[in-house]
Amino acid sequence: MKNQTVKFICLLLSIFIAATGVLCTVAYILDPQNVYRSNTKGLRFFSPTYSSAPAIRTADYDCVIIGSSMVQNFDTKQITKQFGYKPLKLALGALEPDELLWLYNCAQEQGKAKKYIVNIDLHRFASNKIVEPDCGRFRDYMYNPRGLAQFRYLLGYETWFRFIPLQAFLTAIYGLNIPLPESFRSSLKLSTDINTSGYWNEDNPPGEAALLENFNSGTVVFNDGDSDTYSDNAMSHMDYLLEQLSVKLDSDEELTIYLPPYSSLFGADKSSDQIEVIFALREKIAAFAAEYANIHLCDLQAESYVRDLNLYMDASHSSTTIRKATQQSVVSCTGEPDLQQIKSNNSIIKSYADEALKKAQVKK
Amino acid sequence: MLFSSYEFVFAFLPVTVAVYFALSGIKSPYPQRIFLAAASLFFYSYFEWSYILIISASIIINFILAKISLHASKQSAKKALFILSIIFNVGLIGYYKYYDFAVDTFNTVASTNIPIKGILIPLGISFFTFQQLSFQLRTYKSDSKKLNFIDYTLFVSFFPQLIAGPIVLYDDLVPQIIDENKRRPNKDNIVKGFSIFTCGLFKKLIIADELSLIVDNGFFAYKSMGMLPMWIVAFAYTFQIYFDFAGYSEMAIGLGKMLNYDLPINFLTPLRSASITEFWKRWHITLGRTLSELVYIPLGGNQKGKLRKAINLFIVFLVSGIWHGASWTFVLWGIAHGAARVFEECFPKLLNRIPTFIRRIFTFLFVVFAFVIFRAESIGQAFGIFKQMFTFSNLGLSRFSSLLINGIFGVPNFAAIALAFAAILICFVIMLKEKSTSELLEDFSPTPKRAVLIAIMLIVSVLCMSRSAVFIYFNF
């Protein structure tokens, strides 16, 4: 029995050591710089959850764009052409405020960027969760790899259960010339171009009828907050975010905050007072930006093309038409904060939100 | 420090086991015990150093109260000390775990605005407080004068069981601590313990953490999911919490075994139960045992008639719900289980007429529904999910891809449907086929085939460690 136990230990240890050794070697050969990007037939994956961290550390950039799926409204080529920056997109669908702060802090620690573009989804500030920098869905060990942690990726879940199998699968598919479904190919195409990082898969039916149907049936979540604490949470969380953004910003760095072009129904939520909270947040950001010479604000919500419900796939994601127009607005925005302008925009939003709500109620 | 972390598996565990047994060469047992208690407190404080102050205070005060009680000659003095210990322990857990909840509820009911403190709940407070309350009850009833501070500290802080159980009683552990025969390394126990630990690690990292993707996505976007995806989510959460907690308990039992300690079994394939009564004899067994000792028996147990027994049972489940957390969802979860338990107590003949197979299905479905309430952030969310589960007009077949969003790219919907159903089917098969921890312990033999299997499970587990999530029961 004793002999058997010793054999068991020796066998277990030798298999474990040999296997981990082989796995580490393979991962190192495939990805020596821990960039977590599969490269198959020239396709590079920009999976935000995994590739943002190595991109922050290894990519060549002087501008970062941080935000949710709304980052689809930022075209890096146009930004380079207009402002001369080399942007890096750090986008993840439904980015939480604490994830946003986390990414901002990580980019700040690298010190490469001179320009920060932050897209703020206002409704996400109303939840009861306390806002503080948190890696959330990202992998914290990838962001600040020190000591042995920088080699952790060699035996990492992301490496062995995501990127290497994906790479092997696609290599086989392409090698055997197997046709892929169109939806998969289009999804793959979006995932392999950094400029389309954060793009919304166009799988929702577009147009006013579909949008009103979604609104009335409640299939699209219009806000995340508890109505009792909505206002208090939103205000205090926004104060914290703005303070954190400004504290880390050096005088030679610039920050531009963008308010994304949601549909009017997004504001016209069923609890009508919540739109007032959104307006107060917008005014708060404008007042804050006015205090700093290097902080700018661009409001995309009141643009004329944003008012057309037919251009939306859901309450926040737009069709190609509106996206192209928004991308143009992004680069033409002067970014001068003006509280009066924001207040005026609020009135415009309010009137078309009321109109949209009326349409929704009539349909019901 | 998580059991499922690199730090634990590759540093803390081998160092602790090696040093612990190296100290067995010293004649006095105390260096070994002091080292294990110190290592356990280090393990605990690794999460947050300030926690050590709370657990130390709890251990010292409970020890002093017990020591005085053991030497008290008058029964009235013993009783007073016992009441004091209850006040202290319930006060401690009440402050850290329930203060904010109580203030929030009071604010809602009385329309006041008393500020909430946002108190950080020390890890494992529910576990070590219950453990010490049980010890105080034992002290109150005991005639023994023996109590050693080092042994007591080790009993409370012993790292395999400290944060999420199994809830170990004084008589489970202390006789083993003082047993001279358990001081020296035992290769068979180390191999057996490590193998059980690896099985638990695998359950946690591969099954529970993989299911968390479906669960988190589903609960996040439940309003737009539709019927079938929400059923998958509800099943997925039941399996997630089971494999997470049973995996943790197996790891704890395995770690204890490596150090020659036998910890009590906490799970006996509970999802195969044919009634809620049976479920609670197989699920979190040590909590049931402690609640029985601390609540059910003092209330009179089954000695005061059928009605009183039913009421006592219901109270036990209510306490169990509250013990899990400061939220109305846990209270409702406890009430649901309590009501089912009382129902089974009242109509045993009626239930016995139903074939076992049918009863198993209904019990499983009841557990699934109750866990939806348990996981929900609010009662409103729980009922929103139930509504989705029974919205026959919206099957949600097109929404499966959103259950599997993982940050790389959208999984085609047909593949998502296949993957989601396959995941649940695999869990069902494992649930039906798996061996309980006690069977694993009894059946274990160090064969080469087992060595290969354990090595593969360990390698796959290590590959998943970089995304390991905190154990669900760490929140309680």
Side-chain angles (χ1 to χ4, degrees), chain A residues 185-198:
Chain A
R185 275 197 298 153
S186 60
S187 171
L188 203 60
K189 199 176 163 200
L190 291 179
S191 307
T192 51
D193 179 354
I194 195 164
N195 208 37
T196 54
S197 181

Side-chain angles (χ1 to χ4, degrees), chain A residues 4-5 8-9 11-12 15-16 19 47-50 124 139 141 152 155-158 160-162 184 187 191 219, chain B residues 6 188 191 195 210 220 224 406-410 412 446-448 451-452 454-455 458-459 462-464 466-467:
Chain A
Q4 215 180 352
T5 305
F8 181 95
I9 294 170
L11 188 59
L12 194 154
I15 294 172
F16 180 76
S47 159
T49 318
Y50 310 118
R124 303 204 77 84
R139 302 278 175 261
Y141 78 89
R152 197 182 271 195
L155 291 174
Y157 174 81
E158 295 75 21
W160 284 102
F161 286 85
R162 291 285 182 262
F184 187 73
S187 171
S191 307
T219 49
Chain B
Y6 299 100
D188 292 338
V191 163
S195 300
E210 206 59 59
F220 178 73
S224 59
N406 69 3
I408 287 202
F409 54 80
T447 59
V452 174
I454 297 295
L458 183 63
I459 292 160
V462 167
L463 292 180
C464 290
S466 64
R467 61 94 198 237

Side-chain angles (χ1 to χ4, degrees), chain B residues 118-396:
Chain B
I119 298 164
L120 190 66
I121 303 170
L123 275 176
I125 191 166
S126 306
F127 289 89
F128 68 71
T129 305
F130 255 48
Q131 190 183 11
Q132 294 187 99
L133 268 173
S134 162
F135 166 72
Q136 293 293 352
L137 182 65
R138 178 195 177 275
T139 307
Y140 174 54
K141 290 177 177 173
S142 168
D143 293 326
S144 165
K145 303 272 183 229
K146 281 184 186 171
L147 184 62
N148 178 293
F149 181 69
I150 293 163
D151 295 345
Y152 181 74
T153 304
L154 184 54
F155 152 65
V156 178
S157 67
F158 185 46
F159 73 87
Q161 54 85 52
L162 174 58
I163 293 166
I167 302 173
V168 178
L169 304 182
Y170 188 83
D171 293 326
D172 290 330
L173 201 62
V174 174
Q176 298 187 66
I177 292 173
I178 56 179
D179 186 347
E180 278 293 318
N181 296 324
K182 288 184 178 278
R183 288 188 60 205
R184 305 207 178 274
N186 179 321
K187 277 195 220 93
D188 292 338
N189 279 349
I190 290 175
V191 163
K192 194 185 268 192
F194 188 74
S195 300
I196 302 289
F197 172 80
T198 307
C199 288
L201 194 65
F202 188 84
K203 283 180 185 172
K204 156 71 180 163
L205 289 170
I206 315 301
I207 307 176
D209 285 358
E210 206 59 59
L211 288 171
S212 71
L213 178 73
I214 293 176
V215 174
D216 293 347
N217 284 335
F219 272 80
F220 178 73
Y222 73 96
K223 285 182 185 169
S224 59
M225 275 297 164
M227 191 172 107
L228 293 176
M230 277 329 287
W231 274 96
I232 292 289
V233 170
F235 285 137
Y237 182 63
T238 300
F239 288 124
Q240 185 200 353
I241 193 168
Y242 169 62
F243 286 113
D244 188 282
F245 194 24
Y248 177 88
S249 297
E250 248 164 44
M251 284 186 246
I253 288 165
L255 292 168
K257 195 81 187 163
M258 288 173 79
L259 296 162
N260 295 333
Y261 290 96
D262 293 318
L263 297 184
I265 300 293
N266 222 13
F267 288 88
L268 281 170
T269 58
L271 298 179
R272 301 204 290 245
S273 303
S275 67
I276 292 302
T277 308
E278 187 186 346
F279 175 80
W280 279 102
K281 285 178 183 166
R282 293 160 163 255
W283 176 280
H284 205 174
I285 298 165
T286 57
L287 175 67
R289 181 178 67 161
T290 314
L291 283 172
S292 171
E293 189 186 34
L294 292 176
V295 183
Y296 183 65
I297 294 169
L299 284 172
N302 58 4
Q303 303 297 307
K304 295 187 176 178
K306 280 188 176 176
L307 178 66
R308 222 12 232 284
K309 183 185 177 186
I311 293 169
N312 293 345
L313 280 171
F314 189 79
I315 291 170
V316 166
F317 281 96
L318 189 63
V319 172
S320 169
I322 296 167
W323 177 88
H324 278 85
S327 164
W328 289 110
T329 51
F330 294 121
V331 175
L332 186 59
W333 174 79
I335 288 173
H337 272 279
R341 179 73 181 81
V342 169
F343 179 80
E344 286 178 358
E345 195 63 34
C346 295
F347 305 102
K349 285 179 186 168
L350 178 78
L351 292 169
N352 283 337
R353 272 187 233 147
I354 302 168
T356 310
F357 176 68
I358 305 286
R359 278 193 287 139
R360 278 201 176 134
I361 292 173
F362 275 98
T363 303
F364 181 75
L365 288 175
F366 178 86
V367 169
V368 168
F369 279 111
F371 274 136
V372 168
I373 301 170
F374 190 88
R375 167 66 170 75
E377 284 169 21
S378 65
I379 291 173
Q381 191 193 37
F383 282 95
I385 290 167
F386 292 147
K387 193 179 157 195
Q388 288 287 324
M389 289 168 79
F390 290 99
T391 306
F392 294 95
S393 58
N394 178 18
L395 291 179

Side-chain angles (χ1 to χ4, degrees), chain A residues 71-83:
Chain A
V71 166
Q72 66 189 331
N73 298 312
F74 299 88
D75 184 324
T76 56
K77 287 173 194 146
Q78 287 189 46
I79 288 169
T80 304
K81 195 174 163 193
Q82 185 74 21
F83 304 115

Side-chain angles (χ1 to χ4, degrees), chain A residues 206-227:
Chain A
E208 185 174 302
L211 185 52
L212 294 178
E213 179 64 33
N214 280 340
F215 181 77
N216 283 326
S217 64
T219 49
V220 173
V221 181
F222 285 80
N223 66 66
D224 305 326
D226 177 342
S227 56

